[in-house]
């Protein structure tokens, strides 16, 4: 976000996984109601959610209603990524390869699907590639916050502008409505 909206500052509130985000977000964010202008909650759709919430839209609306009722009103937004955040990493395999391990970018590219094909299980496929890179090249790459941050800073803005993923479009729309168009 900082790269595209440099004028904003934000605080990340950590959770113990998507179920914790879903069940505790309203309570955990309540203490920031007077300090922050907006609350943005992001979670994956693929988790053991309540059985009555069958679509990402239902998960989003349920949590957004609870945030609004807890005091955020119309200053909150919820983004539910279907199936999971790792699907966004597959938007640009060259950037993904560089983010995993810059010194072995070309070797990693050979392991990644080419074109616009995104894996059915993005997290498992990413873990498979990272495991193979670690084994073959004796590096210590891993799927962690630093990987996502490197990817976010490296991905070409043009790729972001063409992204058609509904959850990403929802995120971009919310941020643009709050902070103006990205730079």
């Amino acid at each position: 976000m900082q790269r595209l909206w440099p004028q904003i500052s934000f605080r990340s509130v950590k959770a113990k996984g998507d179920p914790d985000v879903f069940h505790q977000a309203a309570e955990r964010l309540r203490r920031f109601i007077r300090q922050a202008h907006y609350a943005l909650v992001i979670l994956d759709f693929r988790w053991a959610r309540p059985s009555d919430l069958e679509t990402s839209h239902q998960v989003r609306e349920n949590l957004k209603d609870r945030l609004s009722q807890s005091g955020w009103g119309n200053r909150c937004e919820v983004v539910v990524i279907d199936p999971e955040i790792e699907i966004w990493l597959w938007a640009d395999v060259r950037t993904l390869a560089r983010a995993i391990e810059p010194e072995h970018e070309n070797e990693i590219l050979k392991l990644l699907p080419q074109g616009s094909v995104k894996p059915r299980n993005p997290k498992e496929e990413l873990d498979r590639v990272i495991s193979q890179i670690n084994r073959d090249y004796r590096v210590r790459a891993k799927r962690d916050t630093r990987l996502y941050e490197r990817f976010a800073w490296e991905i070409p803005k043009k790729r972001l502008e063409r992204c058609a993923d509904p959850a990403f479009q929802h995120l971009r729309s919310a941020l643009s409505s709050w902070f103006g168009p990205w730079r």
Side-chain angles (χ1 to χ4, degrees):
M1 284 193 299
Q2 205 77 40
R3 173 181 155 205
L4 302 171
W5 288 278
Q7 77 278 18
I8 68 168
S9 62
F10 64 94
R11 176 180 289 165
S12 177
V13 178
K14 303 290 182 193
K16 298 173 187 166
D18 295 312
D20 186 51
V21 171
F22 180 77
H23 293 291
Q24 301 297 319
E27 183 179 317
R28 288 184 186 212
L29 295 175
R30 190 174 288 127
R31 66 185 177 141
F32 298 104
I33 288 173
R34 286 183 174 52
Q35 299 169 18
H37 293 283
Y38 304 101
L40 174 66
V41 177
I42 301 174
L43 69 157
D44 292 339
F45 182 62
R46 188 182 283 174
W47 58 280
R49 62 196 164 279
S51 60
D52 62 328
L53 302 177
E54 297 176 1
T55 67
S56 59
H57 180 75
Q58 290 172 322
V59 171
R60 178 184 168 275
E61 290 303 312
N62 181 291
L63 181 51
K64 187 171 179 182
D65 286 347
R66 288 187 284 125
L67 285 165
S68 294
Q69 291 171 12
S70 76
W72 284 100
N74 64 356
R75 300 179 305 129
C76 62
E77 195 52 74
V78 176
V79 175
V80 181
I81 305 167
D82 189 2
E84 53 203 358
I85 187 80
E86 286 75 15
I87 199 70
W88 289 359
L89 297 176
W90 296 94
D92 188 273
V93 294
R94 181 164 295 283
T95 302
L96 177 58
R98 192 169 38 259
I100 292 171
E101 181 60 45
E103 293 179 24
H104 298 287
E105 178 182 342
N106 291 328
E107 294 86 352
I108 296 172
L109 275 171
K110 293 174 188 170
L111 300 173
L112 301 175
Q114 300 300 308
S116 61
V117 178
K118 292 184 179 181
R120 184 175 173 91
N121 297 305
K123 186 183 291 184
E124 289 84 4
E125 182 64 12
L126 181 58
D127 286 343
R128 181 196 65 76
V129 169
I130 289 172
S131 177
Q132 186 169 343
I133 289 299
N134 288 340
R135 186 176 50 253
D136 293 351
Y137 298 100
R138 291 188 169 50
V139 295
R140 295 184 349 153
K142 57 185 172 178
R143 183 175 46 82
D144 63 4
T145 305
R146 289 181 303 250
L147 170 66
Y148 299 101
E149 289 172 354
R150 283 191 306 267
F151 182 83
W153 279 102
E154 297 258 341
I155 188 167
K157 188 176 171 191
K158 197 170 273 193
R159 292 293 273 174
L160 293 174
E161 290 168 347
R162 291 193 312 245
C163 182
D165 180 81
F168 185 79
Q169 289 296 322
H170 187 78
L171 172 64
R172 182 177 175 185
S173 175
L175 293 172
S176 293
S177 73
W178 293 340
F179 306 114
W182 64 21
R183 298 180 192 180

